[in-house]
Amino acid sequence: MIRRPPRSTPKPSSAASDVYKRQILLVVHSDEYDNQVNGIKHSYEDLITTHLHSKIEGDKCMELFMLKGEADSVSSITKDFQINKRMDTVKLVTL
């Protein structure tokens, strides 16, 4: 008897297309710059699947963005935060 895989079996994707599918972007900044973070965030709403904001100590805030999208878009949002000198920390983690 020959067993066939179910029809819904996903096709394997190339490794290159999966490299930048899901990432976490961590941004730490002073709470007085929340408006600048929001400005950048609103430019990439299609890329951000989850956004968490937390006070970490004193006036410092941590933003955690779960991203899903193309490499160019992920690179753009990361660079927008990196070039803003008011951000204390910007780290991108690829899953």
Coordinates of all heavy atoms in Angstrom, one line a residue:
M1 N 0.8 -1.2 0.0 CA 0.0 0.0 0.0 C 0.9 1.2 0.0 O 1.8 1.4 0.8 CB -0.9 0.0 1.2 CG -1.7 1.2 1.4 SD -2.8 0.9 2.9 CE -3.9 2.1 2.6
I2 N 0.6 2.2 -0.9 CA 1.3 3.4 -1.0 C 0.6 4.5 -0.2 O -0.6 4.7 -0.4 CB 1.5 3.9 -2.4 CG1 2.3 2.8 -3.2 CG2 2.2 5.2 -2.5 CD1 2.4 3.1 -4.7
R3 N 1.4 5.2 0.7 CA 0.8 6.2 1.5 C 1.1 7.6 0.9 O 2.3 7.8 0.6 CB 1.2 6.2 2.9 CG 0.8 4.9 3.6 CD 1.1 4.9 5.0 NE 0.1 5.8 5.6 CZ 0.1 6.1 6.9 NH1 1.0 5.7 7.7 NH2 -0.9 6.9 7.4
R4 N 0.2 8.4 0.7 CA 0.4 9.7 0.1 C 0.3 10.7 1.2 O -0.5 10.6 2.1 CB -0.6 10.0 -1.0 CG -0.5 9.2 -2.1 CD -1.5 9.5 -3.2 NE -1.4 8.6 -4.3 CZ -2.2 8.6 -5.3 NH1 -3.2 9.6 -5.4 NH2 -2.1 7.8 -6.3
P5 N 1.1 11.8 1.1 CA 1.0 12.9 2.2 C -0.3 13.6 2.0 O -0.9 13.6 0.9 CB 2.2 13.8 1.9 CG 2.5 13.5 0.4 CD 2.1 12.1 0.2
P6 N -0.8 14.2 3.1 CA -2.1 14.9 2.9 C -1.9 16.1 1.9 O -0.8 16.6 1.8 CB -2.3 15.5 4.3 CG -1.3 14.9 5.2 CD -0.3 14.2 4.4
R7 N -3.0 16.5 1.3 CA -2.9 17.5 0.3 C -2.5 18.9 0.9 O -2.0 19.7 0.2 CB -4.2 17.7 -0.4 CG -4.5 16.5 -1.3 CD -5.9 16.7 -2.0 NE -6.2 15.5 -2.7 CZ -6.4 15.5 -4.0 NH1 -6.3 16.6 -4.7 NH2 -6.7 14.3 -4.6
S8 N -2.7 19.1 2.2 CA -2.4 20.3 2.8 C -0.9 20.4 3.2 O -0.6 21.4 3.9 CB -3.3 20.6 4.0 OG -3.1 19.6 5.0
T9 N -0.1 19.5 2.9 CA 1.3 19.5 3.3 C 2.0 20.8 2.6 O 1.9 20.9 1.4 CB 2.1 18.3 2.8 OG1 1.4 17.1 3.3 CG2 3.5 18.3 3.2
P10 N 2.5 21.7 3.4 CA 3.1 22.9 2.9 C 4.4 22.5 2.1 O 5.1 21.6 2.4 CB 3.5 23.7 4.1 CG 3.5 22.8 5.2 CD 2.6 21.6 4.9
K11 N 4.6 23.3 1.0 CA 5.8 23.1 0.2 C 7.0 23.7 1.0 O 6.9 24.7 1.7 CB 5.7 23.8 -1.1 CG 4.6 23.2 -2.0 CD 4.6 24.0 -3.3 CE 3.5 23.4 -4.2 NZ 3.4 24.2 -5.4
P12 N 8.1 23.0 1.0 CA 9.3 23.5 1.6 C 9.7 24.8 1.0 O 9.6 25.0 -0.2 CB 10.4 22.5 1.4 CG 9.8 21.4 0.6 CD 8.4 21.7 0.3
S13 N 10.0 25.8 1.9 CA 10.5 27.1 1.3 C 12.0 27.2 1.4 O 12.6 26.5 2.1 CB 9.8 28.2 2.2 OG 10.2 28.1 3.5
S14 N 12.5 28.1 0.6 CA 13.9 28.2 0.5 C 14.4 28.9 1.8 O 13.7 29.7 2.4 CB 14.3 29.1 -0.7 OG 13.9 30.4 -0.5
A15 N 15.6 28.6 2.2 CA 16.2 29.1 3.4 C 16.3 30.7 3.3 O 16.1 31.4 4.3 CB 17.5 28.5 3.7
A16 N 16.6 31.2 2.2 CA 16.8 32.6 2.0 C 15.5 33.4 2.2 O 15.5 34.5 2.8 CB 17.4 32.9 0.6
S17 N 14.4 32.8 1.8 CA 13.2 33.5 2.0 C 12.7 33.5 3.4 O 11.9 34.3 3.8 CB 12.1 32.9 1.1 OG 11.8 31.6 1.5
D18 N 13.2 32.6 4.3 CA 12.8 32.6 5.7 C 13.7 33.3 6.6 O 13.4 33.5 7.8 CB 12.7 31.1 6.1 CG 11.6 30.4 5.5 OD1 10.6 31.0 5.1 OD2 11.6 29.1 5.5
V19 N 14.8 33.8 6.1 CA 15.8 34.4 7.0 C 15.2 35.6 7.8 O 15.5 35.7 8.9 CB 17.1 34.8 6.2 CG1 18.0 35.7 7.0 CG2 17.8 33.6 5.6
Y20 N 14.5 36.4 7.1 CA 14.0 37.6 7.8 C 12.5 37.6 8.0 O 11.8 38.6 7.9 CB 14.4 38.9 7.0 CG 15.8 39.1 7.0 CD1 16.6 38.8 5.9 CD2 16.4 39.7 8.1 CE1 18.0 39.0 6.0 CE2 17.8 39.9 8.2 CZ 18.6 39.6 7.1 OH 19.9 39.8 7.1
K21 N 11.9 36.5 8.2 CA 10.5 36.4 8.4 C 10.0 36.9 9.7 O 9.0 37.6 9.8 CB 10.0 34.9 8.2 CG 10.1 34.5 6.8 CD 9.1 35.2 5.9 CE 9.2 34.7 4.5 NZ 8.4 35.5 3.6
R22 N 10.6 36.5 10.8 CA 10.2 36.9 12.2 C 11.4 37.5 13.0 O 12.4 36.8 13.0 CB 9.6 35.8 12.9 CG 8.3 35.3 12.2 CD 7.7 34.1 13.0 NE 6.7 33.5 12.3 CZ 5.4 33.8 12.3 NH1 5.0 34.8 13.1 NH2 4.5 33.2 11.6
Q23 N 11.2 38.6 13.6 CA 12.2 39.2 14.4 C 11.6 39.9 15.6 O 10.4 40.2 15.6 CB 13.0 40.3 13.6 CG 13.7 39.9 12.3 CD 12.7 39.8 11.2 OE1 11.7 40.4 11.2 NE2 13.1 39.0 10.2
I24 N 12.5 40.2 16.5 CA 12.1 41.0 17.7 C 13.0 42.2 17.7 O 14.3 42.1 17.5 CB 12.4 40.2 19.0 CG1 11.5 39.0 19.1 CG2 12.1 41.1 20.2 CD1 11.8 38.1 20.2
L25 N 12.4 43.4 17.8 CA 13.2 44.6 17.8 C 13.0 45.2 19.2 O 11.9 45.5 19.7 CB 12.7 45.6 16.8 CG 13.4 47.0 16.7 CD1 14.9 46.8 16.3 CD2 12.8 47.9 15.7
L26 N 14.1 45.5 19.9 CA 14.1 46.0 21.3 C 14.6 47.4 21.2 O 15.7 47.7 20.7 CB 15.0 45.2 22.2 CG 15.2 45.7 23.6 CD1 13.9 45.5 24.4 CD2 16.4 45.1 24.2
V27 N 13.8 48.4 21.8 CA 14.2 49.8 21.8 C 14.1 50.3 23.2 O 13.0 50.1 23.9 CB 13.4 50.6 20.9 CG1 13.8 52.1 20.9 CG2 13.5 50.1 19.4
V28 N 15.1 50.9 23.8 CA 15.1 51.5 25.1 C 15.3 53.0 24.9 O 16.2 53.4 24.2 CB 16.2 50.9 26.0 CG1 16.2 51.6 27.4 CG2 16.0 49.4 26.2
H29 N 14.5 53.8 25.6 CA 14.5 55.3 25.5 C 14.0 55.9 26.7 O 13.3 55.3 27.5 CB 13.8 55.7 24.2 CG 12.3 55.4 24.3 ND1 11.4 56.2 24.8 CD2 11.6 54.2 23.9 CE1 10.2 55.6 24.8 NE2 10.3 54.4 24.2
S30 N 14.2 57.2 26.8 CA 13.6 58.0 27.9 C 12.1 58.2 27.5 O 11.8 58.4 26.4 CB 14.3 59.4 28.0 OG 13.7 60.2 28.9
D31 N 11.3 58.3 28.6 CA 9.8 58.4 28.3 C 9.5 59.7 27.6 O 8.4 59.8 27.0 CB 9.0 58.1 29.5 CG 9.2 59.1 30.6 OD1 10.1 60.0 30.5 OD2 8.5 59.0 31.7
E32 N 10.3 60.7 27.7 CA 10.0 62.0 27.0 C 10.1 61.9 25.5 O 9.6 62.7 24.8 CB 11.0 63.1 27.5 CG 12.4 62.9 27.1 CD 13.3 64.0 27.7 OE1 13.2 65.1 27.2 OE2 14.1 63.6 28.6
Y33 N 10.6 60.7 25.0 CA 10.6 60.5 23.5 C 9.6 59.5 23.0 O 9.8 59.0 21.9 CB 12.1 60.1 23.1 CG 13.1 61.1 23.6 CD1 14.1 60.8 24.4 CD2 13.0 62.5 23.2 CE1 15.1 61.7 24.8 CE2 13.9 63.4 23.6 CZ 15.0 63.0 24.4 OH 15.9 63.9 24.8
D34 N 8.6 59.3 23.8 CA 7.5 58.4 23.4 C 6.9 58.8 22.0 O 6.6 58.0 21.2 CB 6.4 58.3 24.4 CG 6.7 57.3 25.5 OD1 7.6 56.4 25.3 OD2 6.1 57.4 26.6
N35 N 6.8 60.1 21.8 CA 6.2 60.6 20.6 C 7.0 60.3 19.4 O 6.5 60.0 18.3 CB 5.9 62.1 20.7 CG 7.1 62.9 20.9 OD1 8.2 62.4 21.4 ND2 7.1 64.2 20.6
Q36 N 8.3 60.3 19.5 CA 9.2 59.9 18.4 C 9.1 58.4 18.1 O 9.1 58.0 16.9 CB 10.6 60.3 18.7 CG 10.8 61.8 18.7 CD 12.2 62.2 18.9 OE1 13.1 61.5 18.7 NE2 12.3 63.5 19.4
V37 N 9.0 57.6 19.1 CA 8.8 56.1 18.9 C 7.5 55.9 18.2 O 7.4 55.1 17.3 CB 8.9 55.4 20.3 CG1 8.4 53.9 20.1 CG2 10.3 55.5 20.9
N38 N 6.4 56.6 18.7 CA 5.1 56.4 18.0 C 5.1 56.8 16.6 O 4.5 56.2 15.7 CB 4.0 57.2 18.8 CG 3.7 56.5 20.1 OD1 3.8 55.2 20.2 ND2 3.3 57.2 21.1
G39 N 5.9 57.9 16.3 CA 5.9 58.3 14.9 C 6.6 57.3 14.0 O 6.1 57.0 12.9
I40 N 7.7 56.7 14.4 CA 8.3 55.6 13.7 C 7.4 54.4 13.6 O 7.2 53.8 12.5 CB 9.7 55.2 14.3 CG1 10.6 56.4 14.2 CG2 10.2 54.0 13.6 CD1 11.9 56.2 14.9
K41 N 6.8 54.0 14.7 CA 5.9 52.9 14.8 C 4.8 53.0 13.8 O 4.5 52.0 13.1 CB 5.3 52.7 16.2 CG 4.4 51.6 16.4 CD 3.8 51.5 17.8 CE 2.7 52.5 17.9 NZ 1.9 52.4 19.1
H42 N 4.1 54.1 13.7 CA 3.0 54.3 12.8 C 3.4 54.2 11.3 O 2.6 53.8 10.5 CB 2.3 55.6 13.1 CG 1.5 55.6 14.3 ND1 0.5 54.7 14.6 CD2 1.6 56.3 15.5 CE1 0.0 54.9 15.8 NE2 0.7 55.9 16.4
S43 N 4.7 54.4 11.0 CA 5.1 54.2 9.6 C 5.3 52.8 9.2 O 5.4 52.5 8.0 CB 6.5 54.9 9.5 OG 6.3 56.3 9.7
Y44 N 5.3 51.9 10.2 CA 5.5 50.4 9.9 C 4.4 49.5 10.5 O 4.7 48.4 10.9 CB 6.9 50.0 10.5 CG 8.0 50.7 9.8 CD1 8.6 51.9 10.4 CD2 8.6 50.3 8.6 CE1 9.6 52.6 9.8 CE2 9.6 50.9 8.0 CZ 10.1 52.1 8.6 OH 11.2 52.7 8.0
E45 N 3.2 50.0 10.6 CA 2.1 49.2 11.2 C 1.9 47.9 10.5 O 1.5 46.9 11.1 CB 0.8 50.0 11.2 CG 0.9 51.1 12.3 CD -0.4 51.9 12.3 OE1 -1.2 51.9 11.4 OE2 -0.6 52.6 13.4
D46 N 2.2 47.8 9.2 CA 2.0 46.5 8.5 C 3.1 45.5 8.8 O 2.9 44.3 8.6 CB 2.0 46.8 7.0 CG 3.3 47.5 6.5 OD1 3.8 48.3 7.2 OD2 3.7 47.2 5.3
L47 N 4.2 46.0 9.4 CA 5.3 45.1 9.7 C 5.2 44.6 11.2 O 5.7 43.5 11.5 CB 6.6 45.9 9.5 CG 7.9 45.2 9.7 CD1 8.1 44.1 8.6 CD2 9.0 46.2 9.6
I48 N 4.6 45.4 12.0 CA 4.6 45.1 13.5 C 3.3 44.2 13.8 O 2.2 44.6 13.6 CB 4.5 46.4 14.3 CG1 5.7 47.3 14.0 CG2 4.4 46.1 15.8 CD1 5.6 48.7 14.5
T49 N 3.6 43.0 14.3 CA 2.5 42.2 14.7 C 2.2 42.3 16.2 O 1.0 42.1 16.5 CB 2.9 40.7 14.4 OG1 4.0 40.3 15.2 CG2 3.1 40.4 13.0
T50 N 3.1 42.7 17.0 CA 2.9 42.9 18.4 C 3.8 44.0 18.9 O 5.0 44.1 18.5 CB 3.2 41.6 19.2 OG1 2.4 40.5 18.7 CG2 2.9 41.8 20.7
H51 N 3.3 44.9 19.8 CA 4.1 45.9 20.4 C 3.8 46.0 21.9 O 2.7 46.1 22.3 CB 3.7 47.3 19.8 CG 4.3 48.4 20.5 ND1 3.7 49.7 20.6 CD2 5.6 48.6 21.0 CE1 4.5 50.5 21.2 NE2 5.7 49.9 21.5
L52 N 4.9 45.8 22.7 CA 4.8 45.9 24.1 C 5.6 47.1 24.6 O 6.7 47.4 24.1 CB 5.3 44.7 24.8 CG 4.7 43.3 24.4 CD1 5.5 42.2 25.0 CD2 3.2 43.3 24.9
H53 N 5.0 47.9 25.5 CA 5.7 49.0 26.1 C 5.7 48.8 27.6 O 4.7 48.5 28.2 CB 4.9 50.3 25.8 CG 5.4 51.5 26.5 ND1 6.3 52.4 26.0 CD2 5.1 52.0 27.7 CE1 6.5 53.4 26.8 NE2 5.8 53.1 27.9
S54 N 6.9 49.1 28.2 CA 7.0 48.9 29.7 C 8.0 49.9 30.2 O 9.1 50.2 29.6 CB 7.5 47.5 30.0 OG 7.6 47.3 31.3
K55 N 7.7 50.4 31.4 CA 8.7 51.3 32.2 C 9.6 50.3 32.8 O 9.2 49.3 33.5 CB 8.0 52.1 33.2 CG 7.0 53.1 32.7 CD 7.7 54.4 32.6 CE 6.7 55.4 32.2 NZ 7.3 56.7 32.0
I56 N 10.9 50.5 32.6 CA 11.9 49.6 33.2 C 12.6 50.2 34.4 O 12.9 49.4 35.3 CB 12.9 49.1 32.2 CG1 13.6 50.2 31.4 CG2 12.2 48.2 31.2 CD1 14.7 49.8 30.4
E57 N 12.9 51.5 34.5 CA 13.4 52.1 35.7 C 13.4 53.6 35.5 O 13.8 54.1 34.4 CB 14.8 51.6 36.0 CG 15.9 51.9 35.0 CD 17.3 51.4 35.3 OE1 17.4 50.2 35.7 OE2 18.2 52.2 35.3
G58 N 13.1 54.3 36.5 CA 13.0 55.7 36.4 C 12.2 56.2 35.3 O 11.0 55.9 35.1
D59 N 12.8 57.0 34.4 CA 12.1 57.5 33.2 C 12.4 56.7 31.9 O 12.1 57.1 30.8 CB 12.5 59.0 33.0 CG 13.9 59.2 32.6 OD1 14.8 58.3 32.8 OD2 14.2 60.2 32.0
K60 N 13.0 55.5 32.1 CA 13.4 54.7 30.9 C 12.2 53.8 30.5 O 11.5 53.2 31.4 CB 14.6 53.8 31.2 CG 15.8 54.6 31.4 CD 16.3 55.2 30.1 CE 17.6 56.0 30.4 NZ 18.0 56.8 29.2
C61 N 12.0 53.7 29.2 CA 10.9 52.8 28.7 C 11.6 51.8 27.8 O 12.6 52.0 27.1 CB 9.9 53.6 27.9 SG 9.0 54.8 28.9
M62 N 11.0 50.6 27.7 CA 11.4 49.6 26.8 C 10.2 49.3 25.8 O 9.1 49.1 26.3 CB 11.7 48.3 27.5 CG 12.1 47.2 26.6 SD 12.1 45.5 27.3 CE 10.4 45.3 27.6
E63 N 10.5 49.3 24.6 CA 9.6 48.9 23.5 C 10.0 47.6 22.9 O 11.2 47.4 22.6 CB 9.5 50.0 22.4 CG 9.4 51.4 22.9 CD 8.1 51.8 23.3 OE1 7.1 51.1 23.0 OE2 8.0 52.8 24.1
L64 N 9.1 46.7 22.8 CA 9.4 45.4 22.2 C 8.5 45.2 21.1 O 7.2 45.2 21.2 CB 9.2 44.3 23.3 CG 9.6 42.9 22.8 CD1 11.1 42.7 22.7 CD2 9.0 41.8 23.8
F65 N 9.0 45.1 19.9 CA 8.2 45.0 18.6 C 8.5 43.6 18.1 O 9.6 43.2 17.8 CB 8.7 46.0 17.6 CG 8.5 47.4 18.0 CD1 9.5 48.2 18.5 CD2 7.2 48.0 17.8 CE1 9.3 49.5 18.8 CE2 7.0 49.4 18.2 CZ 8.1 50.1 18.7
M66 N 7.4 42.8 17.8 CA 7.5 41.6 17.1 C 7.2 42.0 15.7 O 6.2 42.6 15.3 CB 6.4 40.6 17.6 CG 6.6 40.1 19.0 SD 8.1 39.1 19.3 CE 7.7 37.7 18.3
L67 N 8.1 41.6 14.8 CA 8.1 42.0 13.4 C 7.9 40.8 12.5 O 8.5 39.7 12.8 CB 9.3 42.8 13.0 CG 9.7 43.9 13.8 CD1 11.1 44.5 13.4 CD2 8.7 45.0 13.8
K68 N 7.2 41.0 11.4 CA 7.1 39.9 10.4 C 7.0 40.6 9.0 O 6.1 41.4 8.8 CB 5.9 39.0 10.6 CG 5.8 37.9 9.6 CD 4.6 37.0 9.9 CE 4.5 35.9 8.9 NZ 3.3 35.1 9.1
G69 N 8.0 40.4 8.2 CA 8.0 41.0 6.9 C 9.3 40.8 6.1 O 10.1 40.0 6.5
E70 N 9.4 41.5 5.1 CA 10.6 41.5 4.2 C 11.8 42.1 4.8 O 11.7 43.0 5.7 CB 10.3 42.2 2.9 CG 9.1 41.5 2.1 CD 9.4 40.1 1.6 OE1 10.6 39.9 1.2 OE2 8.5 39.3 1.7
A71 N 12.9 41.6 4.4 CA 14.2 42.1 5.0 C 14.4 43.6 4.8 O 14.9 44.3 5.7 CB 15.4 41.4 4.3
D72 N 14.0 44.2 3.7 CA 14.2 45.6 3.4 C 13.3 46.4 4.5 O 13.8 47.4 5.0 CB 13.7 46.0 2.0 CG 14.7 45.4 1.0 OD1 15.8 45.1 1.3 OD2 14.3 45.4 -0.2
S73 N 12.1 46.0 4.7 CA 11.3 46.7 5.7 C 11.8 46.6 7.1 O 11.8 47.6 7.9 CB 9.9 46.1 5.7 OG 9.3 46.3 4.4
V74 N 12.3 45.4 7.5 CA 12.9 45.2 8.8 C 14.1 46.1 9.0 O 14.3 46.7 10.0 CB 13.2 43.7 9.1 CG1 14.0 43.5 10.4 CG2 11.9 42.9 9.1
S75 N 14.9 46.1 7.9 CA 16.1 46.9 8.0 C 15.8 48.4 8.1 O 16.4 49.2 8.8 CB 16.9 46.7 6.7 OG 18.1 47.5 6.7
S76 N 14.7 48.8 7.4 CA 14.3 50.2 7.5 C 13.8 50.7 8.8 O 14.3 51.7 9.3 CB 13.2 50.5 6.4 OG 13.7 50.4 5.1
I77 N 13.0 49.9 9.5 CA 12.5 50.3 10.8 C 13.7 50.3 11.8 O 13.8 51.1 12.7 CB 11.3 49.4 11.3 CG1 10.7 50.0 12.6 CG2 11.7 48.0 11.5 CD1 9.5 49.3 13.1
T78 N 14.6 49.3 11.7 CA 15.7 49.2 12.6 C 16.6 50.4 12.4 O 17.0 51.1 13.4 CB 16.5 47.9 12.3 OG1 15.7 46.8 12.5 CG2 17.7 47.8 13.3
K79 N 16.9 50.8 11.2 CA 17.7 52.0 10.9 C 17.1 53.3 11.4 O 17.7 54.2 11.9 CB 18.0 52.1 9.4 CG 19.1 51.1 9.0 CD 19.4 51.1 7.5 CE 20.3 50.0 7.1 NZ 20.5 50.0 5.7
D80 N 15.7 53.4 11.2 CA 15.0 54.6 11.7 C 15.2 54.8 13.2 O 15.4 55.9 13.7 CB 13.5 54.5 11.3 CG 13.3 54.8 9.9 OD1 14.2 55.2 9.1 OD2 12.1 54.7 9.5
F81 N 15.2 53.7 13.9 CA 15.4 53.8 15.4 C 16.9 54.0 15.7 O 17.3 54.8 16.6 CB 15.0 52.5 16.1 CG 13.5 52.5 16.4 CD1 12.7 51.6 15.7 CD2 12.9 53.4 17.2 CE1 11.3 51.6 16.0 CE2 11.5 53.4 17.5 CZ 10.7 52.5 16.8
Q82 N 17.8 53.4 14.9 CA 19.3 53.5 15.2 C 19.8 54.9 14.9 O 20.6 55.4 15.6 CB 20.0 52.5 14.3 CG 19.9 51.1 14.8 CD 20.6 50.1 13.9 OE1 20.7 50.3 12.7 NE2 21.0 49.0 14.4
I83 N 19.2 55.6 13.9 CA 19.7 56.9 13.5 C 19.2 58.0 14.4 O 19.7 59.1 14.5 CB 19.5 57.3 12.0 CG1 18.0 57.3 11.7 CG2 20.2 56.4 11.1 CD1 17.7 57.8 10.3
N84 N 18.1 57.7 15.2 CA 17.6 58.6 16.1 C 18.4 58.6 17.4 O 18.4 57.6 18.2 CB 16.1 58.2 16.5 CG 15.4 59.3 17.3 OD1 16.0 59.8 18.2 ND2 14.2 59.5 17.1
K85 N 19.2 59.6 17.6 CA 20.2 59.6 18.7 C 19.5 59.7 20.1 O 20.2 59.5 21.1 CB 21.1 60.8 18.5 CG 21.9 60.8 17.3 CD 22.8 59.5 17.2 CE 23.6 59.4 15.9 NZ 24.2 58.2 15.7
R86 N 18.2 59.8 20.1 CA 17.5 59.8 21.4 C 17.2 58.4 21.9 O 16.7 58.3 23.1 CB 16.3 60.7 21.3 CG 16.7 62.1 21.1 CD 15.5 63.0 21.1 NE 15.9 64.4 21.0 CZ 15.6 65.2 20.0 NH1 14.8 64.8 19.0 NH2 16.0 66.5 20.0
M87 N 17.4 57.4 21.1 CA 17.2 56.1 21.5 C 18.5 55.6 22.2 O 19.6 55.7 21.7 CB 16.9 55.1 20.4 CG 15.7 55.6 19.5 SD 14.1 55.6 20.5 CE 13.6 57.3 20.2
D88 N 18.3 55.0 23.4 CA 19.5 54.5 24.2 C 20.0 53.2 23.7 O 21.2 52.9 23.6 CB 19.1 54.3 25.7 CG 18.7 55.7 26.3 OD1 19.3 56.7 25.9 OD2 17.8 55.7 27.2
T89 N 19.1 52.3 23.3 CA 19.4 50.9 22.9 C 18.5 50.5 21.7 O 17.3 50.8 21.8 CB 19.3 49.9 24.0 OG1 20.1 50.3 25.1 CG2 19.7 48.5 23.5
V90 N 19.1 49.9 20.7 CA 18.3 49.4 19.6 C 18.9 48.0 19.2 O 20.1 48.0 18.8 CB 18.2 50.3 18.3 CG1 17.4 49.7 17.2 CG2 17.7 51.7 18.7
K91 N 18.2 47.0 19.4 CA 18.7 45.6 19.2 C 17.7 44.8 18.3 O 16.5 44.8 18.6 CB 19.0 44.8 20.4 CG 20.0 45.4 21.4 CD 21.4 45.3 20.8 CE 22.4 45.8 21.9 NZ 23.7 45.8 21.4
L92 N 18.2 44.2 17.3 CA 17.3 43.3 16.5 C 17.7 41.9 16.7 O 18.9 41.5 16.6 CB 17.5 43.7 15.0 CG 16.6 42.9 14.0 CD1 15.2 43.1 14.2 CD2 17.0 43.2 12.6
V93 N 16.8 41.0 17.0 CA 17.0 39.6 17.1 C 16.2 38.9 16.1 O 15.0 39.0 16.0 CB 16.6 39.1 18.6 CG1 16.8 37.6 18.7 CG2 17.3 39.9 19.6
T94 N 16.9 38.1 15.3 CA 16.2 37.2 14.3 C 15.9 35.9 14.8 O 16.7 35.2 15.4 CB 17.0 37.1 13.0 OG1 17.3 38.4 12.5 CG2 16.3 36.3 11.9
L95 N 14.6 35.4 14.7 CA 14.2 34.2 15.2 C 14.4 33.1 14.2 O 14.3 33.3 13.0 CB 12.8 34.2 15.7 CG 12.4 35.3 16.7 CD1 11.0 35.3 17.0 CD2 13.2 35.0 18.0

